[in-house]
């Protein structure tokens, strides 16, 4: 959930920055510094997006490496295996249905 929220926030900041940069009258000479603020927000949004992608790639890489190590380390030996008997399941007890449940 945190990744989804972070991605949505980064996208919103990026879109807001692009909109602020485009809405500045007369380009960089606009009143209130909209052009500069737009580009700052645009950079923040893109920076957040890149950080999210790097974090996801790092997590996947670490997960793959740890899964490979566990597969090599925890390979069971044939002497350690045990036989397990499975009993058949009992059918559920059927009580007569009454009232509206009978339909």
């Amino acid at each position: 959930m945190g990744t989804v929220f972070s991605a949505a926030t980064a996208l919103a900041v990026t879109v807001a920055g692009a909109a602020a940069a485009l809405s500045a009258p007369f380009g960089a000479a606009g009143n209130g510094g909209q052009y500069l603020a737009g580009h700052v927000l645009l950079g923040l949004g893109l920076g957040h997006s890149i950080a999210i992608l790097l974090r996801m790639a790092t997590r996947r890489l670490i997960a793959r490496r740890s899964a490979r190590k566990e597969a090599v380390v925890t390979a069971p030996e044939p002497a350690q295996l045990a036989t397990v008997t499975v009993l058949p399941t009992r059918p559920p007890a059927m009580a007569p249905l009454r009232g509206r449940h009978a339909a």
Side-chain angles (χ1 to χ4, degrees):
M1 186 67 190
T3 304
V4 173
F5 181 71
S6 298
T9 304
L11 182 63
V13 170
T14 304
V15 170
L22 288 175
S23 69
F26 310 114
N31 295 331
Q34 291 173 333
Y35 189 75
L36 177 62
H39 278 79
V40 168
L41 288 174
L42 186 62
L44 283 174
L46 292 176
H48 284 286
S49 298
I50 291 169
I52 291 168
L53 292 175
L54 287 175
R55 183 173 42 213
M56 286 174 44
T58 305
R59 284 183 181 176
R60 284 186 183 178
L61 182 65
I62 291 172
R64 285 183 185 172
R65 285 189 178 182
S66 65
R68 286 180 189 165
K69 286 181 182 178
E70 288 178 5
V72 171
V73 171
T74 62
E77 297 178 11
Q80 293 178 349
L81 298 178
T83 58
V84 177
T85 58
V86 179
L87 298 175
T89 59
R90 296 187 317 174
M94 293 297 292
L97 299 176
R98 298 183 180 140
R100 61 181 166 174
H101 301 290

